Each structure stands twice: as C-alpha cells, then as structure tokens.
C-alpha cells in the first residue's frame, strides 16, 4: 500500500488546467501528504513512546520495549523497501552521533537531563533507544529529500558546510566548559546559507523556499515533539523533576542547529553532490 502511495507521489502527472486557489489547495494537500509520509518512522516511533505504559510491557521496562519497537520499525521499513540499505547506514550514523551526545549530557558532571526509569539496555546512563530519536530526524530528512525531489541551489562550498556542522556538534559539548557559542554559530550559518534555496516538488511544479527557513521549521516541530516526550516522562530536564513545565524555547534554536548538521550529513552520505549547485 505504501509502495503504491510512493509511486503515486513520485510520478504525479502535469496538470495544465489547474490554476489559482485550486492549484494552491491541491499542492498544499500533497505537501502535507508527502511530509506525513516522510515522517513515517517518526510517527511510528513516537506512537510507541505515547502508547507504551511507563510500567513497561510483558515484564520488560518501558525503555527496553521502546528499543525493540524502534528496531522492529526499522527492520520493517527495510523489508518493505521503504528504506534502502544506504539510507539505513545514514540512520545508524545518526544513532551513533545522538548516543554520544546523550551519554555526555547525562553524565555525572553535566546532568543536562536524565532518564529516570530502569532499563536493561542502559549504557552510561542512557537507554539505547534514545539514539533513535536523533535517527528519526535523519530519517525524515532522507525520506523528504526523495519524495520532494529536492535540489539545492547556491549551496556553500563543502568545506565550509562541513566545518560549521562540526563546530555546531562540538558546541553541544564544549559550551559546558568554554561558553556557549550557539548564536555565533547561528550567525555563521545564516551568512553561509543566506543565498541557499531548496527546490522541491509538492505536486507537478517546482517550488522553492530559503533553506534556512526549512531548518527553523523542522527545529520547531522537533521542539514540540520534545515537549510531548518530556510530558510523558520519557526523559526529564532538571527543572521538570518536581512537576512538568514546557521545554524552554531556547531549545528550538539548538534543534534548528542540529538540523543544519543533519542536513550536511545527509547531503554527503546520499552522494547527491551532482544535484547541489555550488557556485565556483
């Protein structure tokens, strides 16, 4: 069924007679459908987060059940050919990158947040399922790239894009010791991607938007998902241990910067340099 949907979404015929509000509404509908399809792993994984009771299932702690659910979803997507082996490799890289960050953030000297529940599959205080939360972001970007037939115009030189991505990731660690350079890095990213546009196809015509806007929008929805997850007690920030409160809006900027890093990884691992315009 999903394979049929993918074929339909990827082979939309040209609709010459579609104009005005009718075109806008139909393109907006297809834009939503393609985004929902790109969020397949995200939706299934966070449905598991919401549905698995805190006490766990079948004698297994909740975090262990979530790990099994995430692996099962990933295996099913690969078996159903909704994801390629190369895309799986990229998702695994996001899992490793995310886990390394999680292990640092929950360590005794940092304790930016914590996973309060017991689990057999905890390593360095981090349940192994947590890496899939970062992999979910990567999965969305990978799937959206294919479904929207994305192309990038005026991409900055690769060495600059890689450098800013590495500095963004490093800042998540180093700001505990030498200060938070998040806004300086955001300013650098703003300058670097100021002319960059993403060309995408919601239906039968190419549309475009500033790439920076897509970073901010994706970061916003991740921030919303983080609020839902902390509300359900999947993890907690120190100010949420007594009673839940909304995740500070500053985390939106952190997630948007993480999306910049995610985009850079996907752009390289999918080997799509031929489809990105880098000015000489």
């Amino acid at each position: 069924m999903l394979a049929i949907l993918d074929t339909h979404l990827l082979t939309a015929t040209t609709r010459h007679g579609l104009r005005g509000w009718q075109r806008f509404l139909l393109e907006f509908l297809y834009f939503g459908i393609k985004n929902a399809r790109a969020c397949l792993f995200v939706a299934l994984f966070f449905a598991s987060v919401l549905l698995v009771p805190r006490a766990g299932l079948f004698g297994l702690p909740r975090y262990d059940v979530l790990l099994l659910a995430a692996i099962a979803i990933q295996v099913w997507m690969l078996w159903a050919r909704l994801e390629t082996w190369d895309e799986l490799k990229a998702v695994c890289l996001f899992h490793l990158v995310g886990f390394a960050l999680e292990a640092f953030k929950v360590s005794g000297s940092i304790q930016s947040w914590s996973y309060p529940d017991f689990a057999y599959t905890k390593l360095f205080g981090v349940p192994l399922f947590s890496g899939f939360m970062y992999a979910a972001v990567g999965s969305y970007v990978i799937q959206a790239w294919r479904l929207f037939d994305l192309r990038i115009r005026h991409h900055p030189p690769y060495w600059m894009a890689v450098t800013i991505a590495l500095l963004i990731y490093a800042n998540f660690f180093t700001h505990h010791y030498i200060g938070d350079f998040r806004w300086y890095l955001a300013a650098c990213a703003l300058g670097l991607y100021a002319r960059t546009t993403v060309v995408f196809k919601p239906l039968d015509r190419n549309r475009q938007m500033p790439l920076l806007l897509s970073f901010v929008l994706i970061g916003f929805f991740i921030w919303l998902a983080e609020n839902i997850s902390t509300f359900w007690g999947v993890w907690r920030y120190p100010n949420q241990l007594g009673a839940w409160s909304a995740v500070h809006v500053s985390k939106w900027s952190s997630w948007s910067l993480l999306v910049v890093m995610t985009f850079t990884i996907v752009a390289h691992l999918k080997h799509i340099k031929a489809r990105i315009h880098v000015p000489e």
Side-chain angles (χ1 to χ4, degrees):
M1 187 67 180
L2 283 172
I4 295 173
L5 175 62
D6 283 2
T7 301
H8 173 72
L9 293 176
L10 291 168
T11 58
T13 56
T14 303
R15 309 193 182 198
H16 297 289
L18 200 61
R19 293 183 177 86
W21 281 101
Q22 287 183 324
R23 170 167 287 280
F24 171 80
L25 291 174
L26 191 59
E27 287 198 11
F28 187 77
L29 174 64
Y30 270 79
F31 180 79
I33 292 172
K34 286 188 176 184
N35 267 301
R37 168 60 185 86
C39 286
L40 179 62
F41 179 83
V42 179
L44 293 175
F45 179 67
F46 276 95
S48 302
V49 169
L50 297 178
L51 293 175
V52 174
R54 186 160 190 173
L57 289 172
F58 312 113
L60 282 177
R62 174 171 59 162
Y63 294 159
D64 298 328
V65 176
L66 290 176
L67 174 62
L68 292 175
I71 293 173
I73 295 167
Q74 201 73 76
V75 170
W76 170 72
M77 289 184 65
L78 192 64
W79 172 80
R81 298 183 179 179
L82 301 173
E83 191 173 72
T84 67
W85 280 103
D86 284 340
E87 289 170 347
L88 177 62
K89 293 173 186 176
V91 168
C92 289
L93 177 58
F94 288 118
H95 191 289
L96 293 174
V97 168
F99 179 81
L101 180 60
E102 289 281 325
F104 175 79
K105 291 291 189 178
V106 305
S107 61
S109 59
I110 304 299
Q111 295 184 336
S112 294
W113 56 79
S114 63
Y115 292 90
D117 297 346
F118 169 79
Y120 295 107
T121 54
K122 262 188 175 181
L123 186 62
F124 304 118
V126 180
L128 295 181
F129 87 88
S130 66
F132 282 101
M133 293 186 290
Y134 297 84
V137 180
S139 176
Y140 166 76
V141 174
I142 290 168
Q143 296 289 333
W145 206 304
R146 177 173 61 87
L147 291 167
F148 283 102
D149 190 26
L150 293 190
R151 280 148 291 164
I152 308 298
R153 299 292 298 171
H154 299 293
H155 190 278
Y158 281 99
W159 71 269
M160 290 186 180
V162 171
T163 299
I164 197 68
L166 290 174
L167 289 174
I168 287 171
Y169 186 62
N171 187 68
F172 286 116
F173 297 86
T174 60
H175 82 85
H176 293 282
Y177 305 107
I178 61 173
D180 188 357
F181 296 98
R182 178 191 323 175
W183 297 111
Y184 297 100
L185 293 170
C188 290
L190 179 63
L192 200 62
Y193 290 100
R195 296 180 61 241
T196 307
T197 57
V198 54
V199 181
F200 61 99
K201 188 180 290 185
L203 183 58
D204 60 337
R205 292 183 181 178
N206 289 328
R207 305 297 181 187
Q208 65 181 33
M209 67 184 296
L211 184 61
L212 285 169
L213 178 59
S214 68
F215 293 155
V216 172
L217 290 175
I218 296 171
F220 173 73
F221 285 104
I222 298 172
W223 177 74
L224 288 181
E226 185 178 35
N227 274 281
I228 295 171
S229 298
T230 55
F231 179 79
W232 284 90
V234 179
W235 73 89
R236 289 283 171 87
Y237 288 100
N239 66 308
Q240 297 174 323
L241 293 179
W244 182 83
S245 60
V247 177
H248 196 276
V249 71
S250 65
K251 294 291 182 182
W252 179 1
S253 62
S254 298
W255 283 116
S256 296
L257 287 172
L258 190 71
V259 174
V260 176
M261 188 188 75
T262 302
F263 167 82
T264 304
I265 294 174
V266 172
H268 284 71
L269 293 187
K270 285 178 69 68
H271 304 291
I272 53 176
K273 291 184 179 182
R275 307 189 66 194
I276 295 180
H277 175 249
V278 181
E280 296 295 335

